[in-house]
């Protein structure tokens, strides 16, 4: 199963929208979502405070206003090999 990280913070409308968009893919591309509040970690804050929301999957990231349905769909397609269970 895929592991998706969402870098976020409180009272972030774009972050809420990014999480909602991610939820649209749960049925077709199951994943585990890890939410990371950038205000709880100095490194995350320094790296992402001007970029949030940030979606990270398989080492690839989507940033801020570049997050939309199509960009998330492409990110899942790039990481589709993780849908196939290993034997």
């Amino acid at each position: 199963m895929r592991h998706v990280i969402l870098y976020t913070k409180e009272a972030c409308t774009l972050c809420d929208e990014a999480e909602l968009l991610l939820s649209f893919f749960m049925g077709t591309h199951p994943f585990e979502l890890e939410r990371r509040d950038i205000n709880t970690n100095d490194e995350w804050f320094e790296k992402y405070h001007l970029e949030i929301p940030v979606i990270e999957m398989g080492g690839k990231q989507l940033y801020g206003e570049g997050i939309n349905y199509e960009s998330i769909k492409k990110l899942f397609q790039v990481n589709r090999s993780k849908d196939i269970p290993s034997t």
Side-chain angles (χ1 to χ4, degrees):
M1 180 177 290
R2 291 186 193 102
H3 182 79
V4 177
I5 301 170
L6 175 62
Y7 292 92
T8 185
K9 69 177 185 177
E10 284 188 42
C12 172
T13 304
L14 286 176
C15 300
D16 295 341
E17 290 174 12
E19 188 168 353
L20 177 63
L21 285 170
L22 279 169
S23 73
F24 294 145
F25 293 91
M26 184 57 84
T28 55
H29 304 286
F31 61 92
E32 172 188 29
L33 180 62
E34 177 184 352
R35 290 171 198 84
R36 293 185 177 176
D37 185 333
I38 64 167
N39 291 315
T40 64
N41 181 294
D42 291 339
E43 183 180 332
W44 298 340
F45 182 83
E46 184 66 31
K47 189 171 183 179
Y48 299 119
H49 73 279
L50 297 175
E51 303 290 339
I52 64 163
V54 176
I55 296 173
E56 182 177 319
M57 182 190 328
K60 306 237 184 291
Q61 295 180 327
L62 299 174
Y63 298 93
E65 293 182 9
I67 295 174
N68 57 52
Y69 184 87
E70 287 302 316
S71 65
I72 295 173
K73 181 178 176 182
K74 287 178 186 174
L75 188 62
F76 275 107
Q77 289 171 344
V78 167
N79 287 280
R80 70 177 166 230
S81 63
K82 294 187 171 99
D83 284 339
I84 302 167
S86 56
T87 55

